[in-house]
Amino acid sequence: MSPADRVVRVAVPKPLPQQFDYLAAERVPVPGARVRVKFGRQRLVGVCTSVDPADAHDDPAPLEAVLDDHNALGEELFALGQWLADYYHHPLGEVLATLLPAAARRGEPLTERTETVWRLTGSRPDLHRAARQQALLEHLLANGGTATPQALTDAGFSAAVQRSLADKGVVVREHRAAVAPKVAATEPALNLNPEQRQAVDAVAVSDGRFGVTLLEGVTGSGKTEVYLQLIDRVRRAGRQVLVLVPEIALTPQTLSRFVARFGQADTVHSGMTDGQRLDAWMRCRSGAASILIGTRSAVLTPFRNLGLIVVDEEHDGSFKQQDGLRYSARDVAVKRAQTLDIPLLLGSATPSLESLANAAAGRYRHLRLNERAGGARMPAFQLLDIRGHRLDDGISDRLGRIIRGHLDDGGQALVFLNRRGYAPALVCPGCGWQAMCRHCDMRMTVHHQPPALICHHCGHRQPPPNRCGGCGKSDLMAVGLGTQRTEAGLQRQFPDVPIYRIDRDSTRSQRRLEAQFAAIHSGEPAILVGTQMLAKGHHFPAVTLVAVINADSGFLSADFRAPERTAQLIIQVAGRAGRAERPGEVWIQTYQPDNPMLQSLIQDGYPGFAVRELANRHAAGLPPYRPMALIRAEGASADPVRALLQHLQEVMRTTVEDGGIEVLGPVSAPIARRADRVRFQLMVLADTRRPLHRALRAVTASPPRQSGVRWSVDVDPYDTF
């Protein structure tokens, strides 16, 4: 090691808490630059975190290559990565790799791809005898003056027509960085009602400084128009905007609304190729993208001049990552807004109890939109007591008559059941045998399209048996309800009406999903059957009836968050009814019409339910009043898994000796065996975050190793299962 050599500390994408030192002999990377290193027998792309650390290793291996001459992430995102590693107790190397697009993690250059475009020149020859060329000219004039050849082909203009315009000097071929398609903005800003105006002004008057605004607006109240008008102000000031939406299914419709208003918007979601994601990442980092719409991971995108973050449906559980770096996109958005000193807008008809508690404590501004936009009325709620009633594939006789009445009046009916498949269990009525997953401690779900038994936890699939696995009898019975079964029952009852099932099984094709939505939006009488995919963000003007056919299970779950999630789903799906001129109704079938949580939701609405549920959480010492973490462990057998968690429990209690934490367990996870792995967990609670993080840091700084056992930490878990 010569005096000119420099030691570089590198975070590698491995589940290891420590970083590793390497020798830079010629080119010295700056912190945040990507480097290629030899790690054992592998060659990895890591990130330089510091140069010449005081405690450098005596004999470091040489760097193989320096891939960037600058901080690839930018100062703000690099600092965010270090915060994420500390707050979520996750290895820094894996965190920094998560912040990079997949192409960048492989070491590909951080350059934007180029594309070929036709650009209009100033030449305008007489084209009155060339109708298609004239139409192409008008198309380009209406869409910003440039377009790719493929986009023009998709719009119906042949390659020959494009070449003809080029031969006449009307267009010229150019190469440019790949950009989001730009079209003419066609949707004007709408007139705001007083509540919407107050919301826009409240965020705007912050003068671009940090502050969190919780916008609680009933379904159909025009929250999106508030977002759009705020975004317009931010863009006019030359700054960028990040909009987070909960699911990929909502991204296309949100994108189309924003493009109609602004002419252009970028997007990031899991359905994009690695190259497309890298392009969007680079455009945001350079400042070329003014609006980014994306799902959870979009919150980890670098920006040059971010001026506003909007989180739509902020309560949604899909904003929480459930493996790897278990971050909450909503909470990370709060951290980024605070760091950048910019406003954050959280929107929902059913805000999370965490956000409501922050608003009650004065940490968030709380604004409400109580009226539906355009004068539409909120739907009326009715409980349908089905105790002692015969159900036909989940539909009571009375509900069937109600559905028929709405269809005869020209309306559409939405039947909601948050369980896909045909039935959740296959049972022998003779001996009680049930078809169980051979890899999990869970029943197999019966599917009819195509026929199969599927485990919804590990994905195992097998043909349905012809005989009972216990007594050998052949009269097996599907027990319980799924969307396929309800769809089949409705088809028998209403053979004259089209029925559209929308769940994860029926929407694997984006084209099929779009075709279903197009048919629904025709407004003809129809029945929609589906899971929570129907509850989020969709606008169905012809739906006048929403029927919730199994509302009880969520209020009876062992998961303390289940009542909150159930109430949110009911309110969200109910909001699909009566969004246009015709009034809507919501009928909820229940075996427990006197359930106090259900009664509170119906009589007092979601705000009243939330007040009651927050009081229950406070009395029980649960989040949002006490911070929580789960430590999960799994292995091939129970004893080593339990032993590791017992060791971690003792380490934490020894570290925090003053009773500042409460450690419950180890206990079997609610699903004790999944994918042939036995699962246990510890629940860690504290009165404040400081002792909680001190305890977690003690077990993650020097993690114990137990052969065959994997374990992880989940801070602020969304799901205790």
Side-chain angles (χ1 to χ4, degrees):
M1 179 173 174
S2 72
D5 292 338
R6 308 285 295 277
V7 175
V8 174
R9 185 150 291 174
V10 177
V12 297
K14 289 289 182 181
L16 301 168
Q18 67 268 41
Q19 299 171 50
F20 298 88
D21 291 345
Y22 290 87
L23 196 64
E26 297 178 0
R27 187 179 172 196
V28 180
V30 299
R34 295 173 303 150
V35 294
R36 183 173 282 112
V37 298
K38 188 174 181 180
F39 190 82
R41 297 183 179 180
Q42 296 178 289
R43 282 175 169 77
L44 303 176
V45 174
V47 176
C48 168
T49 59
S50 64
V51 179
D52 293 332
D55 57 344
H57 191 274
D58 290 337
D59 187 23
L63 280 179
E64 290 205 341
V66 177
L67 303 179
D68 305 306
D69 57 7
H70 59 280
N71 183 336
L73 295 164
E75 295 298 330
E76 184 257 337
L77 202 62
F78 185 53
L80 178 71
Q82 294 167 320
W83 177 85
L84 287 166
D86 183 62
Y87 184 84
Y88 290 105
H89 300 274
H90 198 75
L92 179 61
E94 290 196 332
V95 171
L96 296 177
T98 301
L99 298 181
L100 291 165
R105 292 197 293 270
R106 294 193 296 266
E108 295 182 17
L110 291 179
T111 56
E112 295 182 58
R113 293 182 303 168
T114 60
E115 62 184 2
T116 300
V117 298
W118 291 116
R119 179 181 61 79
L120 283 174
T121 67
S123 176
R124 295 292 184 271
D126 183 5
L127 299 174
H128 76 277
R129 293 190 178 184
R132 291 302 295 160
Q133 294 176 37
Q134 180 66 35
L136 176 51
L137 171 61
E138 292 171 356
H139 177 83
L140 287 167
L141 286 169
N143 290 279
T146 61
T148 65
Q150 184 60 53
L152 295 180
T153 300
D154 293 343
F157 300 103
S158 68
V161 173
Q162 297 175 41
R163 286 195 301 270
S164 296
L165 273 192
D167 292 342
K168 294 176 180 177
V170 179
V171 294
V172 63
R173 188 185 296 267
E174 288 187 344
H175 297 282
R176 68 175 186 190
V179 298
K182 185 172 180 59
V183 300
T186 57
E187 181 183 304
L190 304 178
N191 292 326
L192 300 178
N193 63 35
E195 289 181 332
Q196 291 173 310
R197 172 60 58 193
Q198 180 189 12
V200 171
D201 290 343
V203 178
V205 298
S206 67
D207 195 29
R209 305 301 297 274
F210 171 68
V212 182
T213 300
L214 175 62
L215 182 61
E216 181 178 3
V218 298
T219 52
S221 59
K223 292 186 292 294
T224 302
E225 185 63 29
V226 172
Y227 306 159
L228 290 167
Q229 296 209 15
L230 278 170
I231 290 167
D232 186 51
R233 295 191 184 195
V234 174
R235 287 177 74 249
R236 289 179 185 275
R239 306 193 72 180
Q240 297 168 282
V241 179
L242 169 63
V243 181
L244 298 178
V245 295
E247 291 196 9
I248 185 175
L250 295 181
T251 306
Q253 69 179 45
T254 305
L255 180 64
S256 63
R257 178 83 184 272
F258 277 59
V259 169
R261 178 66 60 89
F262 301 117
Q264 193 173 29
D266 283 76
T267 184
V268 170
H269 56 76
S270 59
M272 299 169 65
T273 66
D274 289 350
Q276 290 171 330
R277 291 174 70 92
L278 178 60
D279 288 342
W281 195 86
M282 292 293 295
R283 288 196 295 270
C284 291
R285 192 182 73 163
S286 69
S290 62
I291 302 173
L292 178 67
I293 301 167
T295 49
R296 178 177 60 234
S297 63
V299 78
L300 306 178
T301 304
F303 290 89
R304 183 175 182 178
N305 190 16
L306 190 60
L308 172 69
I309 303 175
V310 175
V311 183
D312 191 28
E313 308 290 1
E314 65 85 27
H315 67 278
D316 199 278
S318 62
F319 284 127
K320 174 71 172 176
Q321 175 73 25
Q322 298 293 350
D323 54 22
L325 173 60
R326 292 172 167 83
Y327 67 95
S328 161
R330 180 195 63 213
D331 297 346
V332 174
V334 175
K335 176 63 178 177
R336 291 198 74 176
Q338 183 181 42
T339 300
L340 294 168
D341 195 21
I342 61 173
L344 167 66
L345 182 60
L346 306 176
S348 177
T350 54
S352 65
L353 296 189
E354 281 78 8
S355 293
L356 288 171
N358 278 321
R363 288 184 286 270
Y364 294 177
R365 179 194 291 118
H366 192 181
L367 302 176
R368 294 177 174 85
L369 303 179
N370 297 307
E371 301 294 331
R372 282 188 157 181
R377 287 180 287 170
M378 292 298 295
F381 282 80
Q382 304 284 346
L383 291 182
L384 192 51
D385 184 354
I386 55 175
R387 290 175 295 184
H389 288 239
R390 186 187 69 84
L391 304 182
D392 185 356
D393 288 329
I395 307 296
S396 64
D397 290 342
R398 187 179 179 193
L399 182 57
R401 292 193 297 272
I402 293 168
I403 292 173
R404 173 56 71 183
H406 279 261
L407 295 173
D408 290 345
D409 287 341
Q412 295 177 343
L414 190 160
V415 178
F416 175 73
L417 172 65
N418 202 29
R419 180 179 288 149
R420 62 192 178 96
Y422 184 82
L426 186 67
V427 178
C428 174
C431 69
W433 172 88
Q434 301 180 49
M436 302 293 293
C437 176
R438 69 184 67 168
H439 305 291
C440 306
D441 290 342
M442 294 301 292
R443 293 186 292 266
M444 300 283 282
T445 298
V446 183
H447 283 247
H448 271 194
Q449 300 171 355
L453 293 180
I454 301 176
C455 177
H456 287 178
H457 299 277
C458 74
H460 173 67
R461 177 188 294 258
Q462 66 188 53
N466 296 319
R467 296 184 176 277
C468 170
C471 66
K473 292 183 178 179
S474 59
D475 54 342
L476 300 178
M477 181 171 59
V479 176
L481 290 173
T483 49
Q484 290 182 3
R485 184 171 199 162
T486 300
E487 177 191 28
L490 288 166
Q491 286 172 337
R492 288 195 305 273
Q493 290 190 54
F494 304 97
D496 56 325
V497 178
I499 296 175
Y500 305 102
R501 175 168 57 88
I502 297 177
D503 56 26
R504 195 184 307 169
D505 298 314
S506 68
T507 58
R508 299 187 188 278
S509 164
Q510 184 67 27
R511 180 172 296 181
R512 180 181 177 186
L513 178 62
E514 291 172 356
Q516 286 183 310
F517 282 153
I520 293 166
H521 284 120
S522 73
E524 296 298 317
I527 299 175
L528 290 61
V529 182
T531 59
Q532 61 181 327
M533 288 185 69
L534 281 175
K536 301 174 182 179
H538 299 294
H539 180 60
F540 301 126
V543 169
T544 56
L545 170 68
V546 166
V548 181
I549 64 173
N550 183 16
D552 297 321
S553 58
F555 290 120
L556 302 175
S557 171
D559 186 349
F560 75 92
R561 294 190 188 275
E564 175 189 3
R565 289 198 292 262
T566 302
Q568 288 166 341
L569 268 177
I570 290 174
I571 295 298
Q572 291 282 340
V573 74
R576 303 313 107 195
R579 294 172 69 96
E581 297 81 14
R582 291 181 283 189
E585 290 184 330
V586 180
W587 286 84
I588 301 175
Q589 290 190 157
T590 175
Y591 288 105
Q592 292 189 316
D594 299 324
N595 183 304
M597 288 181 286
L598 182 57
Q599 284 290 335
S600 174
L601 183 65
I602 300 305
Q603 294 176 9
D604 306 323
Y606 185 79
F609 168 86
V611 169
R612 180 190 182 100
E613 191 63 13
L614 280 169
N616 292 340
R617 296 271 193 94
H618 190 273
L622 291 169
Y625 298 103
R626 298 178 77 202
M628 172 190 285
L630 279 182
I631 300 181
R632 299 182 175 94
E634 59 177 50
S637 58
D639 287 345
V641 177
R642 191 186 296 110
L644 182 134
L645 288 181
Q646 287 170 341
H647 171 72
L648 297 181
Q649 180 184 49
E650 184 60 29
V651 170
M652 288 189 290
R653 285 178 170 164
T654 302
T655 302
V656 186
E657 297 178 343
D658 55 1
I661 61 169
E662 180 181 5
V663 185
L664 306 177
V667 296
S668 291
I671 302 175
R673 185 174 65 98
R674 186 167 70 182
D676 293 320
R677 307 280 290 180
V678 180
R679 307 162 71 236
F680 285 81
Q681 61 190 36
L682 288 173
M683 180 179 289
V684 189
L685 291 154
D687 293 332
T688 62
R689 291 198 175 272
R690 186 181 297 273
L692 178 75
H693 284 291
R694 184 149 46 97
L696 295 175
R697 209 166 282 121
V699 299
T700 56
S702 300
R705 297 192 177 278
Q706 179 77 48
S707 178
V709 178
R710 295 195 299 258
W711 63 281
S712 62
V713 175
D714 189 355
V715 178
D716 305 328
Y718 177 77
D719 190 344
T720 57
F721 275 48

